[in-house]
Amino acid sequence: MNTQRERLKVLGAGIFSLILVMGVARFAYTPLLPLMQQQAGLGMAEAGWLAAINYAGYLCGALTASLISDLVLKDRLYRIGMVVAVASTALMGLSNDLTVWAISRFVAGLCSAAGMLLGTGLILNWLIRHNHRSELGIHFTGIGLGIASCALAVALMKPLLDWREQWFAFTALGCLLLIPALRWLPAPDAAALTKTGQKLVDNPPGNAFLRLFMAAYFCAGVGYVVSATFIVAIIERIPGMAGKGTLVFLVIGLGAAPACVVWDLIARRTGELTALIGAAALQIVGILLPVLVPGLVGAVAGALLFGGTFIGMVSLVLTMAGRYYPTKPAKMMGKMTLSYGAAQILAPAITGWLATRLGGYGVGLYLAAGAMALGVVLLVLLRAMERRETAVLASA
């Protein structure tokens, strides 16, 4: 019973950390974007650049995570990142200067990498060392809960608070989330054995497999980031949908909250790569539904599909990375996220540039869907490669 209680506390630390760094510090920007454009004079291109700067910070954090092997240092940086995430949220409300906002978004990106990669690596390492199932579905519910709670908070605060006051309200929420995120995660154990005496051994994939995997994850990054960043603004500009953007973002979060657990169960039956192919194919449908089926039904259905797939893909990929490198899971997680993060820098900037010339962000959804289609092709090739390697080993 004590072991199970300890496991739940560790997973709880991860959930609250992800609500803080992904929901509050990073994605509160999405439902607040239309309000900042109305009240603070934020332009469409500038909004795209701020999103790109946020992902640049995330990319720098991923690069740092990929270079660090020391668990004690990872733990220290994770805890610093949680505190700074709250400070970066407060900074958004302290000024309406674009440079200050850019600094805040970059720092928030760094902090989200601390929670997403360092925190996830520490939690997966703890699960493996204590002989628990090495799945991250429960942990990653924090992202969906973070998105949903931020969208709901903006919807409730919109009639009462302006854009600046809402950022301060999110800062207060971040202070509350900080407590379990720090207190419930134990200090890391650097021993070479699990609690039952099993030796931890890394089993990395081949270079060709890894390169193809990173390319597929880059495509997933493009598919994810356009909707995640601009969906509220896109929905608000569809005729008859004004005022519905925050609702759609809430639905994305509600779809994402249970998704990782569901995709863990699917992957147990089909294997991770087959599950990834299914999630990517469904995500294409989710991305395009808001523009192919105008109206609330298409927007909500697309949001559910998108929310129910993008985070499942992230969870499956990072779980696979942890299984390849059980002694240092954040190392490969960081490498994979460099690919994912590069897409998250390029795609928002390109989408913002296109929006200024075409009058809206909707074209970005077609860009995202095209990238996801290419990603499906790459994942099919990866699965064929994996099966071929398995057959060779079986016949040896």
Side-chain angles (χ1 to χ4, degrees), residues 12-28 78-90 105 108 111-116 141-143 145-147 149-150 167 170-182:
I15 290 170
F16 284 115
S17 72
L18 289 178
I19 294 174
L20 170 56
V21 298
M22 301 299 288
V24 172
R26 192 172 184 190
F27 281 132
Y78 160 80
R79 295 176 189 280
I80 293 171
M82 295 302 100
V83 175
V84 177
V86 177
S88 71
T89 306
R105 295 300 82 207
C111 297
S112 59
M116 186 74 173
T141 59
I143 297 180
L145 291 172
I147 291 172
S149 60
C150 286
W167 277 113
F170 277 121
T171 304
L173 175 60
C175 290
L176 295 176
L177 295 167
L178 190 62
I179 298 170
L182 296 181

Side-chain angles (χ1 to χ4, degrees), residues 24-93:
V24 172
R26 192 172 184 190
F27 281 132
Y29 174 73
T30 300
L32 281 173
L33 177 56
L35 200 62
M36 292 182 69
Q37 290 177 320
Q38 294 166 14
Q39 298 180 358
L42 181 62
M44 286 194 295
E46 288 78 9
W49 279 111
L50 285 179
I53 289 167
N54 177 253
Y55 297 123
Y58 187 66
L59 184 63
C60 290
L63 177 60
T64 302
S66 71
L67 297 174
I68 299 174
S69 298
D70 183 80
L71 285 174
V72 175
L73 179 57
K74 288 178 183 178
D75 181 68
R76 187 175 298 123
L77 291 175
Y78 160 80
R79 295 176 189 280
I80 293 171
M82 295 302 100
V83 175
V84 177
V86 177
S88 71
T89 306
L91 188 60
M92 286 297 290

